Amino acid sequence: MERFAGQFVLDLLDRPYSDLFPSKSVPYIAIISSFIVIAVVYTILTYTVLVDEDELPVNFTVPIPEQCSPEWKGEVLEDPSTKVTGSSAIQCYCPANGRLLGQFNPATADGIDRAIAKAKDAQVEWAKTTWAQRRRVLKTMLRLAITIGSLKGDTLESGADEWLCIDSGKTKVDASFGEILVTAEKLKWTIQYGEKALRPEKRPSNFLMMYKHNEVRWEPLGVVAACVSWNYPFHNLIGPIISTLFTGSAIIVKASERTAWSSQYFTSIARASLAACGHSPQLVQSIVCWPQTANHLTSHPDISHITFIGSRPVAYSVCASAAKSLTPVCVELGGKDPAIILDDVKSLPKVASILMRGVFQSAGQNCIGIERIIALKSVYPQLVSLLETRIRTLRLGSTLEDPEVDVGAMIAADSFPRLEALINEAVSQGARLLVGGKRYHHPIYPKGHYFSPTLLVDVLPSMRIAQEECFGPICLLMCADSVSAAIALANSTMYALGASVFGSSTNDLNTVVTNVKAGMVSVNDFAVYYAVQLPFGGVGGSGYGRFAGEEGLRSICNTKSVCKDRFPTWVSTAIPGAVDYPIKNAGRAWEVCRGVVILGYGERLGERVSALWKIVSNS
């Protein structure tokens, strides 16, 4: 049913327009209606897959903390910081307004050992579960994810939208796109396609081994770890949990100290889902610690794989630590993602809207955010004008108190001096600053961390701001004379994570896709590769390895190659006497070996027949 549902729609979408609508007189509304019907049919057919009676999701609730209540008013810190003078505690606060959320004791080496031991014990039984049992847990999580913010009461559903913003500073719109939507997609993809990705896969044989059956299996690794960043505290934490649980392994997630407050509650969603379905919640462990303690986790001999999402400097430390126990690492680092605007775009205002989302999503704190817009000369002036008008009207603030804001707070003010210096240096070298360019002192939230939405144009590749990742609400525009020049600009940094290209010419679009250095490319869109669970990751300075999709799921498994007899009752391997140890006659043994090679790989039939006779006569 799953295969039929997907293929039914894809077959229709792959057919030529003239086949679907042969008459040129078909009204536009009929075309739209037809696609709505297709979407409805696809939803109904797919729904039948998701509601298999043996895998029905279980209802459960997670109590919300008092900080998500509209009545809660925490203490406003004078100098908001994760560190507390004279203490090792981690201090958590709202970056949008500086209100204190609480303090947490960081994990110790002993605490990490205990967490790994619990996960390891629980994984033994979990590895024996069926695909259906694992899907049921994910469906239970999915049911909760898609109802966040839509129900009433004192449980998770009524306050989780606050959780997604309270210690990250982002707006609810940003949280909906960057946290809920992509998590729901990852859950749904794994539910529908996870088993297919991990089922044993048949591999071809050869002439000499025609009596063998070959397959590759993907088996649980045991306990894996994920060290995740703060910019998407819900999705970055839950995403590795989804994949790990489905493979049959257990996981230790190390969240950032900046989002320690929310990570404990997001972890409780996964643990409660497991418990509701009758499985051990110990399969999922979440820790938060200071950097000097993290090495104990990343070098631990009981950790079989590490997924790291974060900065380049920290990646060096993680990989060096993991090397002590030869633990493989998937490294997802930052980017300086380009968006190339060709001169034949059909609607520049439409493209401008996509660029705005790509640049300012989560206040620019997005590893696949658009960091450079490279436009061809003929569209450059108009694009500058369109973006300047929009960026000037962006509203900054706290979505916790005022839903009518466009850009939220940044996680901390640490990067503000660096961003201001990069902008000022670029201006001194010829760039034009049209909007923003400095930190914003919010009149209502003076302790919040805000940076003015910025538009910097006429940027050159020689400027540091064109080479370094900003990770802030900064829109950079660069002008290119040609498609090849645009590609050269796009490839001029050490980063190669994602990229976008906008235009109409199929040849030009394909030229960009083929020649741009990136791990992922969106055509006439922004970052949509992640919304359909294609493998995620970059090359060069943006890291290595992939998560998401089939490749990501398999990467956290033990890839086991199996070669067995195809007809064990009748045919099996037997060592010819001439090469059986101890070898009695080296000359005859050599003739048999030569015969085997020529029989298997000789080019002419005659020589292969002769080789067979040589094997028989010398055995």
Side-chain angles (χ1 to χ4, degrees):
M1 176 63 75
E2 169 194 339
R3 187 177 296 108
F4 170 76
Q7 199 59 46
F8 172 78
V9 176
L10 293 175
D11 285 347
L12 285 178
L13 294 178
D14 284 341
R15 290 175 62 188
Y17 175 88
S18 58
D19 289 354
L20 293 173
F21 307 105
S23 172
K24 293 183 179 180
S25 62
V26 175
Y28 181 74
I29 189 64
I31 299 174
I32 298 299
S33 300
S34 298
F35 278 99
I36 291 174
V37 170
I38 291 172
V40 170
V41 171
Y42 177 75
T43 301
I44 293 172
L45 293 175
T46 303
Y47 181 74
T48 64
V49 177
L50 295 176
V51 295
D52 188 315
E53 289 188 5
D54 294 332
E55 304 175 14
L56 285 174
V58 179
N59 289 321
F60 73 100
T61 58
V62 178
I64 63 170
E66 62 172 337
Q67 289 91 334
C68 289
S69 167
E71 291 76 33
W72 177 78
K73 299 294 180 185
E75 172 195 356
V76 177
L77 297 171
E78 182 60 33
D79 184 20
S81 171
T82 54
K83 296 183 178 180
V84 181
T85 303
S87 171
S88 64
I90 296 171
Q91 182 168 261
C92 302
Y93 64 94
C94 305
N97 54 30
R99 294 189 184 278
L100 177 66
L101 294 169
Q103 293 183 0
F104 296 87
N105 290 322
T108 62
D110 287 343
I112 291 171
D113 287 340
R114 289 192 295 272
I116 293 174
K118 291 176 183 177
K120 188 176 180 179
D121 288 344
Q123 191 271 336
V124 175
E125 289 302 314
W126 179 249
K128 301 174 185 176
T129 54
T130 64
W131 299 120
Q133 288 174 307
R134 297 175 194 177
R135 275 193 293 267
R136 190 184 193 203
V137 173
L138 299 193
K139 288 178 181 180
T140 298
M141 294 173 64
L142 177 59
R143 171 174 286 183
L144 185 69
I146 60 179
T147 57
I148 284 177
S150 63
L151 303 179
K152 303 296 181 183
D154 297 323
T155 53
L156 175 63
E157 295 89 341
S158 63
D161 51 353
E162 305 289 350
W163 288 21
L164 299 169
C165 308
I166 200 165
D167 64 354
S168 67
K170 65 184 60 179
T171 67
K172 291 183 180 180
V173 171
D174 286 347
S176 178
F177 280 131
E179 305 275 17
I180 301 173
L181 184 147
V182 290
T183 302
E185 169 57 25
K186 190 175 186 73
L187 282 161
K188 184 173 178 292
W189 184 93
T190 309
I191 290 165
Q192 288 188 267
Y193 304 113
E195 181 182 351
K196 177 180 177 292
L198 299 182
R199 239 186 251 135
E201 186 175 274
K202 184 180 177 182
R203 294 295 172 87
S205 193
N206 57 41
F207 180 75
L208 293 175
M209 293 291 164
M210 66 175 73
Y211 64 99
K212 294 292 186 180
H213 169 85
N214 309 315
E215 67 181 31
V216 178
R217 300 177 182 178
W218 290 274
E219 299 179 345
L221 277 176
V223 181
V224 303
C227 302
V228 299
S229 57
W230 44 261
N231 56 328
Y232 289 97
F234 178 63
H235 180 70
N236 284 352
L237 185 141
I238 292 293
I241 292 174
I242 294 167
S243 297
T244 300
L245 290 179
F246 197 78
T247 65
S249 290
I251 186 168
I252 315 294
V253 183
K254 182 210 165 292
S256 168
E257 59 271 18
R258 296 189 186 277
T259 51
W261 182 85
S262 62
S263 66
Q264 65 172 331
Y265 296 109
F266 296 150
T267 302
S268 71
I269 294 175
R271 292 170 65 94
S273 298
L274 285 162
C277 295
H279 304 290
S280 173
Q282 302 298 340
L283 286 160
V284 176
Q285 302 287 329
S286 176
I287 64 167
V288 179
C289 63
W290 292 114
Q292 59 268 27
T293 308
N295 283 345
H296 188 75
L297 171 66
T298 52
S299 63
H300 202 287
D302 286 334
I303 295 297
S304 301
H305 183 279
I306 298 171
T307 298
F308 173 78
I309 304 173
S311 68
R312 188 181 176 92
V314 179
Y316 287 126
S317 175
V318 170
C319 292
S321 176
K324 296 174 184 176
S325 53
L326 297 180
T327 304
V329 186
C330 172
V331 180
E332 194 277 288
L333 306 178
K336 194 69 180 173
D337 288 12
I340 296 176
I341 318 301
L342 304 180
D343 54 10
D344 59 351
V345 289
K346 291 181 179 178
S347 172
L348 204 55
K350 179 181 176 181
V351 171
S353 293
I354 298 174
L355 296 175
M356 291 288 290
R357 171 56 55 187
V359 172
F360 295 104
Q361 164 82 20
S362 294
Q365 300 166 117
N366 185 1
C367 59
I368 51 171
I370 295 174
E371 290 252 344
R372 296 172 295 154
I373 298 173
I374 303 168
L376 293 182
K377 269 202 295 192
S378 61
V379 296
Y380 186 83
Q382 186 184 352
L383 185 59
V384 169
S385 178
L386 280 170
L387 292 173
E388 180 179 4
T389 301
R390 294 187 179 205
I391 293 171
R392 283 191 185 281
T393 59
L394 291 177
R395 300 160 296 179
L396 281 79
S398 170
T399 195
L400 302 173
E401 288 95 350
D402 180 9
E404 302 300 324
V405 296
D406 301 302
V407 180
M410 293 183 68
I411 195 71
D414 304 357
S415 65
F416 290 177
R418 182 181 72 89
L419 295 178
E420 290 172 340
L422 287 173
I423 292 167
N424 292 335
E425 181 182 282
V427 170
S428 71
Q429 294 171 349
R432 290 186 294 137
L433 178 63
L434 301 185
V435 185
K438 59 185 179 180
R439 70 189 71 197
Y440 178 70
H441 298 283
H442 205 291
I444 303 176
Y445 316 109
K447 301 302 179 181
H449 306 314
Y450 296 95
F451 197 89
S452 299
T454 296
L455 176 60
L456 189 67
V457 304
D458 300 348
V459 175
L460 301 175
S462 58
M463 298 173 181
R464 278 201 306 143
I465 200 167
Q467 298 296 319
E468 297 183 16
E469 184 180 32
C470 292
F471 223 61
I474 299 174
C475 182
L476 302 183
L477 257 70
M478 309 174 77
C479 188
D481 293 330
S482 64
V483 174
S484 59
I487 294 170
L489 284 174
N491 293 338
S492 64
T493 77
M494 68 176 180
Y495 296 104
L497 188 57
S500 300
V501 57
F502 298 83
S504 299
S505 167
T506 301
N507 287 338
D508 287 344
L509 291 171
N510 286 337
T511 296
V512 173
V513 170
T514 301
N515 291 284
V516 71
K517 293 179 182 177
M520 306 161 289
V521 183
S522 289
V523 177
N524 286 318
D525 216 321
F526 156 68
V528 286
Y529 37 75
Y530 198 56
V532 292
Q533 282 297 290
L534 289 175
F536 187 99
V539 293
S542 291
Y544 51 83
R546 296 292 185 269
F547 56 82
E550 213 171 79
E551 293 79 1
L553 202 57
R554 290 176 172 181
S555 73
I556 54 172
C557 294
N558 172 34
T559 302
K560 181 180 286 184
S561 300
V562 179
C563 184
K564 57 187 179 181
D565 290 330
R566 191 184 302 274
F567 311 107
T569 304
W570 299 289
V571 184
S572 61
T573 299
I575 303 295
V579 293
D580 195 10
Y581 287 121
I583 294 175
K584 299 177 180 63
N585 186 313
R588 292 171 64 113
W590 173 246
E591 291 300 322
V592 168
C593 292
R594 284 185 60 199
V596 169
V597 172
I598 295 172
L599 175 65
Y601 307 101
E603 295 181 0
R604 296 185 299 275
L605 178 60
E607 66 178 346
R608 298 179 79 173
V609 172
S610 176
L612 177 60
W613 172 248
K614 187 174 292 188
I615 295 170
V616 172
S617 62
N618 284 281
S619 294

